[in-house]
């Protein structure tokens, strides 16, 4: 049985991501932004077992989804810029209307190359959001916070209040945060939608249960979090980390279509 499950896990990990299509209804989104598509890259973990071939495949899958906006929610790479920059570069073949944005994950800090990667991504035209925000065509604010490990690694800790300072409270806000645990701050600050990764959906059964204990917002779309209007989408990730195995937690490529509850008013 163990041998069969191991083989199944290796096969599942090597599959291309399943496309997950999600409609998210937002109460402050202007009707003219209804239908805007966000594609999420997350937890690619470029490194010894994930390289250029997979990234090119992922880019082609994303191109077919015709995104207006591409977001990368951390754990992009495990290793140095010198070793892996060629694997990352195909991402900028995508030209979404509203750009490409990146937030850090724990692995960017754990591996010790976060500043090198931020510099490289910026040089490619990918915009890092490090406790900061950007206006998307006057329709909503896109906000990004540092990963929760940043402060322990000698970098600025995640600071959503700083990122939101001076914002228009009547404007919709979408938060990029690698770890779902940022949701408590998101609810407090009336964020409409948080987009996260990190948990990998548990990656390998039966570790799903332990992952859930640490991350109750585990995988998929959660609405009205803690009784608020805030929603969160947690991706299972595009690839894998550690052993090239997944079991009952297939990789995914997410496309979120924003919907305005104002469009029929």
């Amino acid at each position: 049985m163990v041998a069969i499950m191991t083989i199944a896990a290796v096969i599942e990990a090597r599959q291309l991501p399943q496309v997950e299509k999600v409609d998210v209804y937002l109460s402050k989104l202007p009707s003219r932004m209804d239908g805007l598509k966000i594609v999420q890259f997350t937890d690619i973990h470029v490194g010894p077992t994930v390289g250029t071939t997979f990234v090119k495949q992922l880019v082609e899958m994303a191109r077919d989804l015709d995104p207006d906006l591409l977001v990368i929610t951390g754990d992009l790479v495990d290793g140095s810029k010198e070793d892996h920059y060629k694997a990352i570069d195909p991402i900028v073949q995508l030209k979404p209307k509203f750009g490409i944005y990146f937030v850090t994950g724990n692995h960017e800090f754990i591996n010790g190359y976060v500043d090198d990667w931020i510099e490289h991504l910026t040089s490619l035209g990918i915009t890092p959001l490090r406790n900061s925000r950007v206006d998307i065509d006057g329709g909503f604010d896109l906000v990004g916070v540092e990963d929760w490990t940043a402060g322990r690694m000698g970098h600025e800790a995640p600071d959503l209040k700083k990122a939101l300072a001076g914002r228009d409270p009547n404007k919709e806000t979408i938060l990029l945060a690698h770890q779902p645990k940022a949701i408590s701050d998101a609810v407090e600050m009336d964020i409409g939608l948080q987009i996260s990764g990190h948990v990998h959906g548990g990656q390998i059964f039966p570790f799903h249960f332990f992952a859930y204990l640490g991350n109750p917002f585990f995988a998929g779309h959660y609405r009205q979090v803690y009784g608020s209007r805030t929603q969160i989408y947690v991706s299972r990730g595009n690839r894998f980390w550690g052993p090239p195995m997944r079991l009952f937690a297939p990789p995914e490529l997410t496309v979120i279509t924003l919907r305005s509850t104002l469009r029929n008013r």
Side-chain angles (χ1 to χ4, degrees), residues 219-245:
H221 185 195
Y222 302 83
R223 302 167 180 84
Q224 296 181 325
V225 176
Y226 302 141
S228 72
R229 76 177 193 96
T230 301
Q231 304 175 60
I232 182 172
Y233 189 85
V234 184
S235 169
R236 297 187 303 272
N238 302 140
R239 205 54 168 168
F240 52 78
W241 176 74
M245 302 170 72

PDB file of all heavy atoms in Angstrom, residues 219-245:
ATOM      1  N   ALA A 219      -7.540  25.688   1.987  1.00  0.00           N
ATOM      2  CA  ALA A 219      -7.523  25.635   0.523  1.00  0.00           C
ATOM      3  C   ALA A 219      -8.907  26.019   0.008  1.00  0.00           C
ATOM      4  O   ALA A 219      -9.920  25.584   0.556  1.00  0.00           O
ATOM      5  CB  ALA A 219      -7.146  24.244   0.024  1.00  0.00           C
ATOM      6  N   GLY A 220      -8.911  26.863  -1.026  1.00  0.00           N
ATOM      7  CA  GLY A 220     -10.170  27.234  -1.646  1.00  0.00           C
ATOM      8  C   GLY A 220     -10.680  28.597  -1.219  1.00  0.00           C
ATOM      9  O   GLY A 220      -9.942  29.428  -0.689  1.00  0.00           O
ATOM     10  N   HIS A 221     -11.975  28.814  -1.437  1.00  0.00           N
ATOM     11  CA  HIS A 221     -12.608  30.121  -1.287  1.00  0.00           C
ATOM     12  C   HIS A 221     -13.452  30.148  -0.016  1.00  0.00           C
ATOM     13  O   HIS A 221     -14.350  29.322   0.160  1.00  0.00           O
ATOM     14  CB  HIS A 221     -13.487  30.392  -2.515  1.00  0.00           C
ATOM     15  CG  HIS A 221     -14.096  31.741  -2.554  1.00  0.00           C
ATOM     16  ND1 HIS A 221     -15.136  32.070  -3.401  1.00  0.00           N
ATOM     17  CD2 HIS A 221     -13.813  32.893  -1.863  1.00  0.00           C
ATOM     18  CE1 HIS A 221     -15.463  33.327  -3.229  1.00  0.00           C
ATOM     19  NE2 HIS A 221     -14.684  33.851  -2.296  1.00  0.00           N
ATOM     20  N   TYR A 222     -13.151  31.098   0.858  1.00  0.00           N
ATOM     21  CA  TYR A 222     -13.901  31.265   2.103  1.00  0.00           C
ATOM     22  C   TYR A 222     -14.550  32.652   2.086  1.00  0.00           C
ATOM     23  O   TYR A 222     -13.875  33.657   1.861  1.00  0.00           O
ATOM     24  CB  TYR A 222     -12.982  31.151   3.319  1.00  0.00           C
ATOM     25  CG  TYR A 222     -12.239  29.836   3.415  1.00  0.00           C
ATOM     26  CD1 TYR A 222     -11.064  29.638   2.694  1.00  0.00           C
ATOM     27  CD2 TYR A 222     -12.712  28.806   4.223  1.00  0.00           C
ATOM     28  CE1 TYR A 222     -10.372  28.436   2.772  1.00  0.00           C
ATOM     29  CE2 TYR A 222     -12.020  27.607   4.320  1.00  0.00           C
ATOM     30  CZ  TYR A 222     -10.852  27.420   3.590  1.00  0.00           C
ATOM     31  OH  TYR A 222     -10.163  26.227   3.669  1.00  0.00           O
ATOM     32  N   ARG A 223     -15.828  32.702   2.373  1.00  0.00           N
ATOM     33  CA  ARG A 223     -16.596  33.951   2.347  1.00  0.00           C
ATOM     34  C   ARG A 223     -16.965  34.374   3.771  1.00  0.00           C
ATOM     35  O   ARG A 223     -17.022  33.545   4.669  1.00  0.00           O
ATOM     36  CB  ARG A 223     -17.859  33.778   1.514  1.00  0.00           C
ATOM     37  CG  ARG A 223     -17.606  33.338   0.069  1.00  0.00           C
ATOM     38  CD  ARG A 223     -18.900  32.889  -0.601  1.00  0.00           C
ATOM     39  NE  ARG A 223     -18.696  32.456  -1.972  1.00  0.00           N
ATOM     40  CZ  ARG A 223     -18.297  31.234  -2.316  1.00  0.00           C
ATOM     41  NH1 ARG A 223     -18.048  30.320  -1.381  1.00  0.00           N
ATOM     42  NH2 ARG A 223     -18.155  30.900  -3.598  1.00  0.00           N
ATOM     43  N   GLN A 224     -17.234  35.662   3.939  1.00  0.00           N
ATOM     44  CA  GLN A 224     -17.718  36.219   5.215  1.00  0.00           C
ATOM     45  C   GLN A 224     -16.874  35.702   6.392  1.00  0.00           C
ATOM     46  O   GLN A 224     -17.394  35.172   7.373  1.00  0.00           O
ATOM     47  CB  GLN A 224     -19.198  35.885   5.412  1.00  0.00           C
ATOM     48  CG  GLN A 224     -20.080  36.532   4.351  1.00  0.00           C
ATOM     49  CD  GLN A 224     -21.558  36.213   4.551  1.00  0.00           C
ATOM     50  OE1 GLN A 224     -21.914  35.130   4.979  1.00  0.00           O
ATOM     51  NE2 GLN A 224     -22.412  37.178   4.245  1.00  0.00           N
ATOM     52  N   VAL A 225     -15.569  35.891   6.269  1.00  0.00           N
ATOM     53  CA  VAL A 225     -14.645  35.389   7.283  1.00  0.00           C
ATOM     54  C   VAL A 225     -14.915  36.074   8.615  1.00  0.00           C
ATOM     55  O   VAL A 225     -15.014  37.312   8.695  1.00  0.00           O
ATOM     56  CB  VAL A 225     -13.191  35.623   6.837  1.00  0.00           C
ATOM     57  CG1 VAL A 225     -12.222  35.195   7.939  1.00  0.00           C
ATOM     58  CG2 VAL A 225     -12.907  34.856   5.545  1.00  0.00           C
ATOM     59  N   TYR A 226     -15.047  35.292   9.673  1.00  0.00           N
ATOM     60  CA  TYR A 226     -15.316  35.789  11.031  1.00  0.00           C
ATOM     61  C   TYR A 226     -16.534  36.719  11.056  1.00  0.00           C
ATOM     62  O   TYR A 226     -16.591  37.679  11.822  1.00  0.00           O
ATOM     63  CB  TYR A 226     -14.098  36.512  11.605  1.00  0.00           C
ATOM     64  CG  TYR A 226     -12.850  35.670  11.669  1.00  0.00           C
ATOM     65  CD1 TYR A 226     -11.607  36.228  11.370  1.00  0.00           C
ATOM     66  CD2 TYR A 226     -12.891  34.332  12.036  1.00  0.00           C
ATOM     67  CE1 TYR A 226     -10.453  35.464  11.431  1.00  0.00           C
ATOM     68  CE2 TYR A 226     -11.731  33.563  12.099  1.00  0.00           C
ATOM     69  CZ  TYR A 226     -10.521  34.131  11.795  1.00  0.00           C
ATOM     70  OH  TYR A 226      -9.362  33.370  11.839  1.00  0.00           O
ATOM     71  N   GLY A 227     -17.500  36.454  10.185  1.00  0.00           N
ATOM     72  CA  GLY A 227     -18.718  37.252  10.148  1.00  0.00           C
ATOM     73  C   GLY A 227     -18.582  38.587   9.443  1.00  0.00           C
ATOM     74  O   GLY A 227     -19.524  39.393   9.464  1.00  0.00           O
ATOM     75  N   SER A 228     -17.449  38.832   8.797  1.00  0.00           N
ATOM     76  CA  SER A 228     -17.205  40.108   8.106  1.00  0.00           C
ATOM     77  C   SER A 228     -17.566  39.983   6.625  1.00  0.00           C
ATOM     78  O   SER A 228     -18.025  38.935   6.167  1.00  0.00           O
ATOM     79  CB  SER A 228     -15.729  40.482   8.231  1.00  0.00           C
ATOM     80  OG  SER A 228     -14.941  39.628   7.408  1.00  0.00           O
ATOM     81  N   ARG A 229     -17.300  41.048   5.878  1.00  0.00           N
ATOM     82  CA  ARG A 229     -17.480  40.979   4.421  1.00  0.00           C
ATOM     83  C   ARG A 229     -16.217  40.454   3.733  1.00  0.00           C
ATOM     84  O   ARG A 229     -16.208  40.211   2.526  1.00  0.00           O
ATOM     85  CB  ARG A 229     -17.844  42.355   3.859  1.00  0.00           C
ATOM     86  CG  ARG A 229     -16.697  43.330   3.749  1.00  0.00           C
ATOM     87  CD  ARG A 229     -17.084  44.657   3.113  1.00  0.00           C
ATOM     88  NE  ARG A 229     -15.882  45.415   2.757  1.00  0.00           N
ATOM     89  CZ  ARG A 229     -15.330  45.411   1.552  1.00  0.00           C
ATOM     90  NH1 ARG A 229     -15.870  44.709   0.575  1.00  0.00           N
ATOM     91  NH2 ARG A 229     -14.245  46.112   1.306  1.00  0.00           N
ATOM     92  N   THR A 230     -15.136  40.275   4.483  1.00  0.00           N
ATOM     93  CA  THR A 230     -13.849  39.852   3.927  1.00  0.00           C
ATOM     94  C   THR A 230     -13.902  38.404   3.443  1.00  0.00           C
ATOM     95  O   THR A 230     -14.454  37.530   4.106  1.00  0.00           O
ATOM     96  CB  THR A 230     -12.733  39.998   4.980  1.00  0.00           C
ATOM     97  OG1 THR A 230     -12.669  41.363   5.405  1.00  0.00           O
ATOM     98  CG2 THR A 230     -11.384  39.590   4.415  1.00  0.00           C
ATOM     99  N   GLN A 231     -13.295  38.187   2.278  1.00  0.00           N
ATOM    100  CA  GLN A 231     -13.169  36.849   1.714  1.00  0.00           C
ATOM    101  C   GLN A 231     -11.686  36.510   1.558  1.00  0.00           C
ATOM    102  O   GLN A 231     -10.835  37.396   1.481  1.00  0.00           O
ATOM    103  CB  GLN A 231     -13.837  36.778   0.338  1.00  0.00           C
ATOM    104  CG  GLN A 231     -15.302  37.192   0.338  1.00  0.00           C
ATOM    105  CD  GLN A 231     -15.889  37.228  -1.052  1.00  0.00           C
ATOM    106  OE1 GLN A 231     -15.920  36.235  -1.762  1.00  0.00           O
ATOM    107  NE2 GLN A 231     -16.389  38.398  -1.446  1.00  0.00           N
ATOM    108  N   ILE A 232     -11.385  35.207   1.490  1.00  0.00           N
ATOM    109  CA  ILE A 232     -10.017  34.776   1.238  1.00  0.00           C
ATOM    110  C   ILE A 232     -10.034  33.618   0.255  1.00  0.00           C
ATOM    111  O   ILE A 232     -10.906  32.740   0.330  1.00  0.00           O
ATOM    112  CB  ILE A 232      -9.280  34.383   2.542  1.00  0.00           C
ATOM    113  CG1 ILE A 232      -7.820  33.970   2.250  1.00  0.00           C
ATOM    114  CG2 ILE A 232     -10.000  33.304   3.307  1.00  0.00           C
ATOM    115  CD1 ILE A 232      -6.980  33.758   3.495  1.00  0.00           C
ATOM    116  N   TYR A 233      -9.079  33.648  -0.679  1.00  0.00           N
ATOM    117  CA  TYR A 233      -8.847  32.484  -1.545  1.00  0.00           C
ATOM    118  C   TYR A 233      -7.446  31.967  -1.270  1.00  0.00           C
ATOM    119  O   TYR A 233      -6.467  32.725  -1.335  1.00  0.00           O
ATOM    120  CB  TYR A 233      -9.000  32.808  -3.039  1.00  0.00           C
ATOM    121  CG  TYR A 233      -8.956  31.519  -3.829  1.00  0.00           C
ATOM    122  CD1 TYR A 233     -10.118  30.775  -4.004  1.00  0.00           C
ATOM    123  CD2 TYR A 233      -7.757  31.009  -4.294  1.00  0.00           C
ATOM    124  CE1 TYR A 233     -10.082  29.555  -4.648  1.00  0.00           C
ATOM    125  CE2 TYR A 233      -7.714  29.785  -4.940  1.00  0.00           C
ATOM    126  CZ  TYR A 233      -8.876  29.053  -5.112  1.00  0.00           C
ATOM    127  OH  TYR A 233      -8.840  27.831  -5.730  1.00  0.00           O
ATOM    128  N   VAL A 234      -7.348  30.669  -0.956  1.00  0.00           N
ATOM    129  CA  VAL A 234      -6.066  30.034  -0.665  1.00  0.00           C
ATOM    130  C   VAL A 234      -5.794  28.974  -1.727  1.00  0.00           C
ATOM    131  O   VAL A 234      -6.521  27.974  -1.825  1.00  0.00           O
ATOM    132  CB  VAL A 234      -6.059  29.390   0.736  1.00  0.00           C
ATOM    133  CG1 VAL A 234      -4.673  28.821   1.040  1.00  0.00           C
ATOM    134  CG2 VAL A 234      -6.463  30.403   1.801  1.00  0.00           C
ATOM    135  N   SER A 235      -4.753  29.184  -2.510  1.00  0.00           N
ATOM    136  CA  SER A 235      -4.378  28.237  -3.562  1.00  0.00           C
ATOM    137  C   SER A 235      -3.604  27.059  -2.981  1.00  0.00           C
ATOM    138  O   SER A 235      -2.864  27.186  -2.005  1.00  0.00           O
ATOM    139  CB  SER A 235      -3.497  28.950  -4.598  1.00  0.00           C
ATOM    140  OG  SER A 235      -2.906  28.014  -5.490  1.00  0.00           O
ATOM    141  N   ARG A 236      -3.741  25.894  -3.622  1.00  0.00           N
ATOM    142  CA  ARG A 236      -2.937  24.728  -3.264  1.00  0.00           C
ATOM    143  C   ARG A 236      -1.517  24.820  -3.809  1.00  0.00           C
ATOM    144  O   ARG A 236      -0.678  23.971  -3.510  1.00  0.00           O
ATOM    145  CB  ARG A 236      -3.595  23.447  -3.795  1.00  0.00           C
ATOM    146  CG  ARG A 236      -4.968  23.150  -3.193  1.00  0.00           C
ATOM    147  CD  ARG A 236      -5.467  21.777  -3.639  1.00  0.00           C
ATOM    148  NE  ARG A 236      -5.533  21.644  -5.090  1.00  0.00           N
ATOM    149  CZ  ARG A 236      -6.599  21.978  -5.821  1.00  0.00           C
ATOM    150  NH1 ARG A 236      -7.688  22.481  -5.237  1.00  0.00           N
ATOM    151  NH2 ARG A 236      -6.588  21.824  -7.132  1.00  0.00           N
ATOM    152  N   GLY A 237      -1.251  25.855  -4.617  1.00  0.00           N
ATOM    153  CA  GLY A 237       0.087  26.047  -5.159  1.00  0.00           C
ATOM    154  C   GLY A 237       0.243  25.459  -6.546  1.00  0.00           C
ATOM    155  O   GLY A 237      -0.480  24.545  -6.957  1.00  0.00           O
ATOM    156  N   ASN A 238       1.227  25.987  -7.279  1.00  0.00           N
ATOM    157  CA  ASN A 238       1.444  25.575  -8.664  1.00  0.00           C
ATOM    158  C   ASN A 238       2.286  24.316  -8.811  1.00  0.00           C
ATOM    159  O   ASN A 238       2.187  23.604  -9.814  1.00  0.00           O
ATOM    160  CB  ASN A 238       2.136  26.687  -9.452  1.00  0.00           C
ATOM    161  CG  ASN A 238       1.381  27.989  -9.476  1.00  0.00           C
ATOM    162  OD1 ASN A 238       1.982  29.055  -9.377  1.00  0.00           O
ATOM    163  ND2 ASN A 238       0.050  27.943  -9.587  1.00  0.00           N
ATOM    164  N   ARG A 239       3.150  24.034  -7.824  1.00  0.00           N
ATOM    165  CA  ARG A 239       4.037  22.870  -7.965  1.00  0.00           C
ATOM    166  C   ARG A 239       4.148  22.144  -6.624  1.00  0.00           C
ATOM    167  O   ARG A 239       3.139  21.703  -6.091  1.00  0.00           O
ATOM    168  CB  ARG A 239       5.407  23.316  -8.496  1.00  0.00           C
ATOM    169  CG  ARG A 239       6.200  22.220  -9.242  1.00  0.00           C
ATOM    170  CD  ARG A 239       5.429  21.580 -10.362  1.00  0.00           C
ATOM    171  NE  ARG A 239       6.262  20.761 -11.226  1.00  0.00           N
ATOM    172  CZ  ARG A 239       5.773  19.921 -12.135  1.00  0.00           C
ATOM    173  NH1 ARG A 239       4.469  19.805 -12.272  1.00  0.00           N
ATOM    174  NH2 ARG A 239       6.578  19.200 -12.903  1.00  0.00           N
ATOM    175  N   PHE A 240       5.330  21.996  -6.073  1.00  0.00           N
ATOM    176  CA  PHE A 240       5.517  21.294  -4.808  1.00  0.00           C
ATOM    177  C   PHE A 240       6.777  21.803  -4.144  1.00  0.00           C
ATOM    178  O   PHE A 240       7.620  22.474  -4.762  1.00  0.00           O
ATOM    179  CB  PHE A 240       5.628  19.774  -5.017  1.00  0.00           C
ATOM    180  CG  PHE A 240       6.657  19.374  -6.046  1.00  0.00           C
ATOM    181  CD1 PHE A 240       8.014  19.363  -5.750  1.00  0.00           C
ATOM    182  CD2 PHE A 240       6.270  19.020  -7.333  1.00  0.00           C
ATOM    183  CE1 PHE A 240       8.962  19.011  -6.698  1.00  0.00           C
ATOM    184  CE2 PHE A 240       7.212  18.669  -8.297  1.00  0.00           C
ATOM    185  CZ  PHE A 240       8.557  18.664  -7.975  1.00  0.00           C
ATOM    186  N   TRP A 241       6.913  21.470  -2.863  1.00  0.00           N
ATOM    187  CA  TRP A 241       8.131  21.774  -2.130  1.00  0.00           C
ATOM    188  C   TRP A 241       8.668  20.478  -1.525  1.00  0.00           C
ATOM    189  O   TRP A 241       7.897  19.609  -1.100  1.00  0.00           O
ATOM    190  CB  TRP A 241       7.878  22.774  -1.003  1.00  0.00           C
ATOM    191  CG  TRP A 241       9.123  23.008  -0.174  1.00  0.00           C
ATOM    192  CD1 TRP A 241      10.212  23.727  -0.527  1.00  0.00           C
ATOM    193  CD2 TRP A 241       9.384  22.481   1.123  1.00  0.00           C
ATOM    194  NE1 TRP A 241      11.161  23.682   0.470  1.00  0.00           N
ATOM    195  CE2 TRP A 241      10.676  22.924   1.499  1.00  0.00           C
ATOM    196  CE3 TRP A 241       8.665  21.669   2.009  1.00  0.00           C
ATOM    197  CZ2 TRP A 241      11.260  22.585   2.722  1.00  0.00           C
ATOM    198  CZ3 TRP A 241       9.240  21.330   3.223  1.00  0.00           C
ATOM    199  CH2 TRP A 241      10.520  21.801   3.572  1.00  0.00           C
ATOM    200  N   GLY A 242      10.023  20.362  -1.477  1.00  0.00           N
ATOM    201  CA  GLY A 242      10.625  19.156  -0.907  1.00  0.00           C
ATOM    202  C   GLY A 242      10.542  18.008  -1.887  1.00  0.00           C
ATOM    203  O   GLY A 242      10.794  18.175  -3.082  1.00  0.00           O
ATOM    204  N   PRO A 243      10.165  16.827  -1.405  1.00  0.00           N
ATOM    205  CA  PRO A 243      10.090  15.676  -2.311  1.00  0.00           C
ATOM    206  C   PRO A 243       9.058  15.927  -3.391  1.00  0.00           C
ATOM    207  O   PRO A 243       7.996  16.507  -3.116  1.00  0.00           O
ATOM    208  CB  PRO A 243       9.672  14.529  -1.382  1.00  0.00           C
ATOM    209  CG  PRO A 243       9.023  15.186  -0.215  1.00  0.00           C
ATOM    210  CD  PRO A 243       9.740  16.483  -0.034  1.00  0.00           C
ATOM    211  N   PRO A 244       9.350  15.512  -4.622  1.00  0.00           N
ATOM    212  CA  PRO A 244       8.400  15.751  -5.721  1.00  0.00           C
ATOM    213  C   PRO A 244       7.186  14.839  -5.608  1.00  0.00           C
ATOM    214  O   PRO A 244       6.978  13.913  -6.397  1.00  0.00           O
ATOM    215  CB  PRO A 244       9.236  15.443  -6.968  1.00  0.00           C
ATOM    216  CG  PRO A 244      10.255  14.459  -6.490  1.00  0.00           C
ATOM    217  CD  PRO A 244      10.564  14.832  -5.071  1.00  0.00           C
ATOM    218  N   MET A 245       6.361  15.138  -4.606  1.00  0.00           N
ATOM    219  CA  MET A 245       5.199  14.304  -4.301  1.00  0.00           C
ATOM    220  C   MET A 245       4.009  15.168  -3.887  1.00  0.00           C
ATOM    221  O   MET A 245       4.177  16.179  -3.208  1.00  0.00           O
ATOM    222  CB  MET A 245       5.536  13.316  -3.161  1.00  0.00           C
ATOM    223  CG  MET A 245       6.705  12.403  -3.448  1.00  0.00           C
ATOM    224  SD  MET A 245       7.232  11.474  -1.989  1.00  0.00           S
ATOM    225  CE  MET A 245       5.880  10.325  -1.839  1.00  0.00           C
TER     226      MET A 245
END
